[in-house]
């Protein structure tokens, strides 16, 4: 076993690797960017080396600097985590040339799976079922259209160099093919510098089921499957293991195919073979096809750990250090069911816009595993993935595990930034999902219901109102009326986009009536603190003019300052600024154009996604300061509308 390893990553995955190292008595070296100098992974490691900079290119992608840090700090091996350099075969070559061990597969195994077309060819030869389609060299539009016709619509066009759902287009009808091809190719050229595409049969009622494999360079075993069908824009949201509806027969067939895939490339370490599965009529041994292999530890690996009892990072270290596979296939089994939910700083109603902010309060559920790279007080910065944590639960059955997931989400407390917690909660309560009817279209179909912030309950508003006005203090036994605040007080609260007017009427020490529209809630102070119309106060966090209420339906409530509101009335800012650092993809307007409120003015690409920047009001474009292709900082002025003269 190694005595010291360096972790070439940040965030929750770096912390996750350090956890196992501590348990095994392995010394750890962290690397970090300037903005991560005091990050949790740095605090946890035995030794830390600064890489400088903020952006990944200036820090976590600097392979040479990372290798120098490993040598200088006495590390014998480098764990790449996921993302960053984890699937970069040139980095693997450089690590080995420096006399260090790369904790992962060989450069040649990564190269073999790097391009989707070559990987599919290779898998076909190894006897692994692949999605029917065309993955040849011919790229002329007419020839590709003929291939699509032969495959049969609907088809999927995929960039061979693709990842993260980019360069991918679903085409339902022949007449849409040419346009879809052109846009997939241009997206692929921009994102990967490679416009080459393949065409695939689009599997209807698709499920994404992947198999965890583990190899020693020659032989491989599998650690069963994960179902990752709950996706939004091809990105995973909640994952589970095992897959609902899986049979022993289909599991054996998928496991064997995944092991064949791994052994065909002499795979070493942890990897994932992703299959697309036809879920229209139950799972079948002839109803799954190889999609791609991810040659690294996957974000959702904890659900596999939960059901197998295996620490995958421990296995990675052992095998990289030259030990044989820790267990044979027959020695692996499934115990119960597990879920993982990915908690992100993102603004769900605004179209899942990645968010930033200081986590003024952060607390995780007592009965769940929470993998995180942040603590209370830390900042979610615009430079990296906005993941806050992964919440993982395990139970004896799917039903119990799902109940534990709902409870764990309700007990997760985040204040200081918007999160997708309410969305995750709604998803965990979704009827179809609860029944195990999952497919990759589920979230898209029910998006409105899943993101609808139902009107906040008046009891919650009453609690927020008392907290924001300071009336929620405990009355002293001798408090008379006169010592209490003004008898009646009007305040305005903002929830999302909505302003809500409330009237607070003090009825005596420890008793306040809160009126919201035509509903009134009586708040009373008793032996167990405040109750709102009999309901106990919810756990909550107050900071400045805002309060975050936790629970199954978390809620952020802000107090609207009446003066600020008057000033801002109708002013609708005419300046469009970049909400985060990113790349300006397109600008749709020119000086002199007339725009209406809500019009798309430009597209900013940031944090792996494209964000439309909209006009906040009607107006005429006075100035365009952004040009397509430019890299901009957060807050950079991009477009200005003429002064509102009304
Ligand atoms: P996939 O969707 O291919 O199964 P994952 O969901 O495991 O893969 O992660 C998607 C990719 O997103 C990772 O390979 C990595 O490139 C990137 N990624 C996700 N989270 C982070 C993070 N915190 N830091 C760096 N990269 C990340
Ligand atoms: P990426 O490299 O971007 O992760 P994948 O090939 O893994 O690309 O596909 C991403 C997602 O797209 C899958 O998880 C699945 O939801 C969907 N998908 C991919 N191929 C097909 C297909 N042939 N039919 C239906 N859905 C598909
Ligand atoms: Mg994938």
């Amino acid at each position: 076993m190694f005595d010291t390893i360096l972790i070439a990553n940040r965030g929750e995955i770096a912390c996750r690797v350090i956890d196992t190292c501590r348990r095994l008595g392995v010394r750890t070296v962290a690397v970090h960017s300037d903005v991560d100098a005091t990050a949790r992974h740095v605090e946890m490691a035995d030794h830390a080396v600064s890489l400088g900079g903020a952006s990944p290119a200036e820090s976590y992608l600097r392979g040479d600097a990372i290798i120098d840090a490993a040598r200088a700090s006495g590390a014998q091996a480098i764990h790449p985590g996921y993302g960053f350099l984890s699937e970069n075969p040139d980095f693997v070559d450089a690590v080995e040339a420096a006399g260090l061990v790369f904790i992962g597969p060989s450069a040649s195994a990564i190269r073999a799976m790097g391009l989707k077309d070559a990987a599919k060819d290779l898998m076909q030869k190894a006897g692994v079922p692949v999605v029917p389609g065309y993955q040849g060299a011919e790229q002329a539009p007419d020839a590709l259209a003929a291939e699509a016709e032969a495959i049969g619509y609907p088809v999927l066009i995929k960039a061979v160099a693709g990842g993260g759902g980019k360069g991918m287009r679903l085409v339902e009808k022949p007449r849409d093919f040419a346009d879809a091809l052109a846009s997939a190719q241009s997206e692929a050229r921009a994102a990967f510098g490679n416009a080459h595409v393949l065409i695939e049969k689009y599997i209807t009622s698709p499920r994404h089921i992947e198999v965890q494999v583990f190899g020693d360079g020659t032989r491989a075993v599998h650690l069963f499957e994960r179902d990752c069908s709950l996706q939004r824009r091809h990105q995973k949201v909640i994952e589970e293991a095992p897959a609902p509806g899986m049979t022993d027969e289909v599991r054996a067939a998928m496991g064997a195919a995944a092991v064949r895939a791994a052994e065909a490339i002499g795979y070493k370490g942890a990897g994932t073979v992703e299959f697309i599965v036809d879920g229209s009529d139950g799972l079948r041994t002839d109803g799954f096809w190889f999609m791609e292999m991810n040659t690294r530890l996957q974000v959702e690996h904890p659900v596999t750990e939960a059901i197998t009892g295996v620490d995958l990072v421990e296995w990675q270290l052992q095998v990289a250090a030259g030990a044989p596979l820790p267990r044979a296939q027959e020695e692996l089994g499934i115990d119960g069911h597990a879920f993982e939910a990915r908690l992100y700083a993102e603004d769900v109603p605004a179209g899942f816009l990645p968010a930033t902010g200081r986590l003024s309060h952060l607390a995780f559920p007592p009965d769940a595993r929470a993998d995180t790279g942040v603590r209370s007080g830390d900042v979610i910065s615009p430079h990296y993935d906005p993941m806050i944590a992964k919440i993982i639960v395990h139970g004896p059955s799917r039903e119990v595990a799902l109940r534990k997931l709902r409870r764990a989400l309700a007990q997760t407390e985040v204040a200081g930034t918007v999160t997708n917690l309410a969305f995750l909660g709604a998803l965990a309560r979704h009827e179809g999902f609860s029944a195990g009817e999952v497919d990759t279209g589920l979230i898209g179909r029910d998006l409105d219901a899943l993101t609808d912030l139902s009107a906040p309950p008046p009891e919650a508003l009453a609690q927020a109102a008392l907290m924001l006005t300071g009336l929620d203090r405990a009355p002293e036994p001798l408090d008379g009326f006169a010592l209490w605040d003004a008898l009646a007080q009007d305040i305005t609260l903002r929830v999302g986009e909505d302003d809500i007017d409330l009237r607070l009427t003090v009825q005596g020490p420890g008793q306040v009536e809160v009126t919201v529209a035509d509903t009134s809630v009586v708040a009373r102070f008793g032996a167990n603190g405040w109750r709102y119309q009999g309901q106990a106060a919810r756990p909550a966090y107050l900071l400045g003019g805002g309060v975050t209420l936790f629970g199954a339906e978390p809620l952020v409530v802000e107090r609207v300052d009446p003066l600020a509101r008057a000033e801002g009335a109708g002013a609708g800012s005419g300046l469009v600024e970049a909400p985060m650092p990113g790349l300006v993809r397109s600008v749709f307007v020119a000086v002199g154009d007339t725009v209406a409120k809500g019009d798309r003015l430009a597209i900013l690409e940031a944090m792996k996604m494209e964000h439309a920047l909209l006009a906040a009001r009607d107006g005429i474009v006075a100035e365009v300061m952004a040009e397509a292709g430019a890299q901009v900082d957060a807050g950079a002025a991009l477009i200005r509308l003429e002064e509102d003269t009304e």
Side-chain angles (χ1 to χ4, degrees):
M1 182 49 77
F2 309 109
D3 151 76
T4 303
I5 73 162
L6 179 144
I7 298 120
N9 215 299
R10 65 178 304 282
E12 64 89 13
I13 191 61
C15 297
R16 158 76 193 86
V17 173
I18 296 173
D19 270 332
T20 292
C21 290
R22 282 181 168 177
R23 203 166 51 68
L24 301 178
V26 174
R27 196 172 150 265
T28 52
V29 180
V31 289
H32 63 86
S33 62
D34 284 346
V35 287
D36 276 343
T38 60
R40 181 167 184 262
H41 77 281
V42 175
E43 178 190 75
M44 284 178 69
D46 296 303
H47 182 70
V49 178
S50 167
L51 298 169
S55 71
E58 298 168 299
S59 54
Y60 300 101
L61 290 174
R62 291 179 56 207
D64 294 348
I66 291 170
I67 291 169
D68 287 347
R71 288 220 282 216
S73 57
Q76 298 102 39
I78 297 184
H79 192 301
Y82 54 72
F84 298 131
L85 295 167
S86 62
E87 293 177 278
N88 182 329
D90 299 336
F91 179 65
V92 179
D93 283 336
V95 169
E96 289 173 354
L100 300 165
V101 175
F102 179 77
I103 302 175
S106 65
S108 73
I110 297 178
R111 284 197 183 98
M113 291 295 180
L115 293 177
K116 292 184 200 292
D117 54 346
K120 281 182 77 175
D121 278 342
L122 187 73
M123 290 300 104
Q124 212 159 10
K125 289 199 189 88
V128 176
V130 304
V131 189
Y134 174 76
Q135 63 253 16
E138 179 62 74
Q139 294 288 301
D142 286 350
L144 289 175
E147 292 292 348
E149 201 71 49
I151 294 164
Y153 283 87
V155 298
L156 200 58
I157 304 174
K158 273 189 194 179
V160 300
K166 279 209 172 140
M168 201 148 84
R169 293 287 182 282
L170 168 62
V171 194
E172 315 252 15
K173 300 182 285 303
R175 69 178 152 86
D176 299 334
F177 186 83
D179 285 352
L181 176 66
S183 80
Q185 285 172 329
S186 75
E187 190 171 297
R189 191 178 295 110
F192 314 111
N194 179 348
H196 210 93
V197 298
L198 58 80
I199 318 266
E200 244 171 44
K201 174 96 197 135
Y202 182 74
I203 309 299
T204 40
S205 300
R207 285 175 64 178
H208 173 121
I209 301 181
E210 57 185 36
V211 177
Q212 175 71 54
V213 291
F214 212 100
D216 65 3
T218 313
R219 302 299 310 277
V221 293
H222 70 85
L223 291 95
F224 316 105
E225 77 282 359
R226 295 184 285 259
D227 193 310
C228 311
S229 300
L230 289 194
Q231 302 183 350
R232 190 188 56 80
R233 292 193 200 139
H234 307 297
Q235 290 170 354
K236 299 162 183 172
V237 180
I238 291 183
E239 302 100 339
E240 63 180 301
M246 182 57 80
T247 63
D248 288 344
E249 201 192 0
V250 175
R251 175 174 294 131
M254 292 185 76
V259 166
R260 262 201 309 281
E263 291 183 348
I265 55 168
Y267 198 78
K268 186 169 175 182
T272 295
V273 182
E274 296 190 333
F275 293 100
I276 191 84
V277 175
D278 176 358
S280 58
D281 186 23
L283 300 176
R284 304 186 321 269
T285 52
D286 62 351
F288 66 89
W289 300 273
F290 171 87
M291 247 184 335
E292 65 168 344
M293 179 167 184
N294 293 323
T295 49
R296 54 176 157 87
L297 191 67
Q298 197 106 336
V299 174
E300 58 275 22
H301 75 276
V303 292
T304 299
E305 297 187 321
I307 62 159
T308 58
V310 167
D311 179 332
L312 286 167
V313 174
E314 180 177 350
W315 278 33
Q316 286 188 299
L317 297 181
Q318 287 178 348
V319 167
L325 282 176
R327 281 198 227 163
Q329 193 67 56
E330 323 69 78
E331 296 170 319
L332 289 160
I334 297 180
D335 170 30
H337 204 100
F339 288 95
E340 171 185 281
R342 300 188 186 195
L343 175 62
Y344 284 100
E346 62 184 10
D347 189 345
V348 172
F352 296 87
L353 191 72
T356 55
R358 185 174 296 279
L359 300 166
S360 44
H361 172 85
L362 182 64
F364 294 115
D367 305 318
R369 168 174 167 182
D371 281 14
T372 186
V374 287
R375 303 148 298 196
S376 255
D378 282 347
V379 169
I380 300 292
S381 85
H383 305 290
Y384 316 106
D385 188 277
M387 187 193 277
I388 298 172
K390 307 183 305 201
I391 307 294
I392 303 116
V393 295
H394 180 232
S397 64
R398 186 174 193 269
E399 197 191 337
V400 173
L402 188 54
R403 266 206 302 272
K404 288 176 81 172
L405 178 66
R406 291 184 198 122
R407 195 178 152 83
L409 291 170
Q411 292 175 333
T412 300
E413 303 182 350
V414 189
T417 178
V418 292
T419 72
N420 64 342
L421 200 47
F423 170 68
L424 292 174
L427 203 48
R429 292 189 296 270
H430 184 277
E431 242 178 77
F433 175 49
S434 300
E437 294 155 8
V438 292
D439 71 89
T440 61
L442 183 146
I443 291 181
R445 275 193 308 275
D446 291 338
L447 195 61
D448 288 346
L450 290 168
T451 55
D452 173 41
L453 298 178
S454 44
E459 293 80 6
L461 293 173
Q463 179 180 347
L466 258 67
M467 291 181 74
L468 286 163
T469 50
L471 284 173
D472 66 325
R473 66 176 193 268
E476 294 290 325
L478 296 178
D479 265 3
F481 242 122
L483 291 173
W484 272 68
D485 297 72
L487 280 181
Q489 192 177 344
D490 290 325
I491 71 163
T492 304
L493 300 182
R494 181 167 296 161
V495 177
E497 308 262 89
D498 300 328
D499 285 357
I500 304 165
D501 295 319
L502 293 90
R503 164 157 287 223
L504 306 179
T505 312
V506 175
Q507 298 179 322
Q511 181 164 327
V512 182
E513 184 190 49
V514 184
T515 316
V516 192
D518 44 17
T519 310
S520 83
V521 169
V522 176
R524 276 198 190 84
F525 187 84
N528 299 312
W530 285 91
R531 283 185 176 273
Y532 299 88
Q533 206 63 29
Q535 284 183 29
R538 282 164 56 170
Y541 184 82
L542 175 75
L543 182 72
V547 58
T548 307
L549 297 171
F550 308 121
E553 294 178 44
L555 192 65
V556 179
V557 182
E558 272 158 40
R559 182 172 187 175
V560 180
D561 176 351
L563 291 174
R565 191 158 60 144
E567 231 172 58
S573 169
L575 192 63
V576 178
E577 297 174 341
M580 62 194 83
L583 179 74
V584 178
R585 267 267 163 254
S586 341
V587 178
F588 302 115
V589 291
V591 174
D593 286 357
T594 302
V595 299
K597 180 176 172 182
D599 280 358
R600 281 198 324 166
L601 305 181
I603 298 277
L604 183 73
E605 186 187 300
M607 289 174 160
K608 300 196 287 178
M609 279 169 50
E610 293 191 345
H611 309 285
L613 303 178
L614 309 180
R617 60 163 165 84
D618 297 351
I620 295 167
V621 177
E623 201 180 346
V624 177
M625 293 136 304
E627 68 182 45
Q631 190 72 37
V632 294
D633 286 332
L638 304 180
I639 290 163
R640 191 171 57 78
L641 302 185
E642 283 181 7
E643 292 290 308
D644 210 347
T645 44
E646 284 164 62

